[in-house]
Amino acid sequence: MNRPAPVEISYENMRFLITHNPTNATLNKFTEELKKYGVTTLVRVCDATYDKAPVEKEGIYVLVHFRAYY
């Protein structure tokens, strides 16, 4: 499946990287992409589609911030 390229947004002294949600199968490539952009904190805002442990092992803090509004 083709995934859209990450989009970087800057606002004042903050930078945000909008990405697709990876799977365990695509996690290595996803983590390399995060490191390329200098990501230090990843905020998960959707259902978990991957194990966060390998991302954290690479020194990227994963903050789970998902709240379903039904």
Side-chain angles (χ1 to χ4, degrees), residues 47 66-70:
D47 288 325
F66 174 77
R67 185 178 303 169
Y69 296 97
Y70 296 101

Side-chain angles (χ1 to χ4, degrees), residues 3-9 16-20 29-30 33-34 36-37 39:
R3 300 283 187 170
V7 175
E8 186 175 8
I9 299 171
F16 303 90
L17 187 66
I18 311 300
T19 68
H20 67 281
K29 184 175 180 181
F30 179 74
E33 192 77 12
L34 295 178
K36 182 174 93 173
Y37 281 93
V39 172

Side-chain angles (χ1 to χ4, degrees), residues 9-58:
I9 299 171
S10 297
Y11 177 74
E12 295 183 1
N13 65 338
M14 298 176 285
R15 292 172 48 218
F16 303 90
L17 187 66
I18 311 300
T19 68
H20 67 281
N21 55 331
T23 64
N24 285 324
T26 62
L27 195 53
N28 286 339
K29 184 175 180 181
F30 179 74
T31 303
E32 289 303 314
E33 192 77 12
L34 295 178
K35 289 173 21 181
K36 182 174 93 173
Y37 281 93
V39 172
T40 57
T41 304
L42 174 67
V43 180
R44 183 188 286 170
V45 294
C46 58
D47 288 325
T49 58
Y50 60 93
D51 178 13
K52 69 179 187 169
V55 178
E56 292 179 324
K57 185 177 177 185
E58 293 294 325

